[in-house]
Amino acid sequence: MPDNYADFFARVTGNAPYPYQQRLGTAPWPEVLDIPTGLGKTAAVVVAWLWKRLNSDAETPRRLVYCL
């Protein structure tokens, strides 16, 4: 497993993270994620959640539920 979030994100998605995606994976969860359509919100949330769960982040819920 990669040592840092940017490498993990790139490995999972095949793309380098946008700055907001990087922050989502390394900072506390925001109250709202207001990003325009087509900029990778679903990947940002799923990959950030997975990274935080794999790294035992106490603030990250055990389950992720989302609706498209």
Side-chain angles (χ1 to χ4, degrees):
M1 184 164 92
D3 292 333
N4 64 63
Y5 182 69
D7 291 344
F8 179 75
F9 187 93
R11 188 172 192 178
V12 170
T13 66
N15 299 298
Y18 291 122
Y20 90 87
Q21 292 169 323
Q22 177 71 31
R23 284 190 306 275
L24 195 61
T26 58
W29 291 105
E31 290 293 318
V32 175
L33 187 60
D34 186 16
I35 305 295
T37 298
L39 291 180
K41 290 183 296 292
T42 302
V45 171
V46 172
V47 176
W49 175 81
L50 183 57
W51 171 259
K52 290 178 178 195
R53 288 295 302 159
L54 290 172
N55 287 283
S56 302
D57 179 42
E59 299 296 316
T60 301
R62 288 181 44 204
R63 291 178 176 89
L64 175 65
V65 177
Y66 66 96
C67 180
L68 299 177

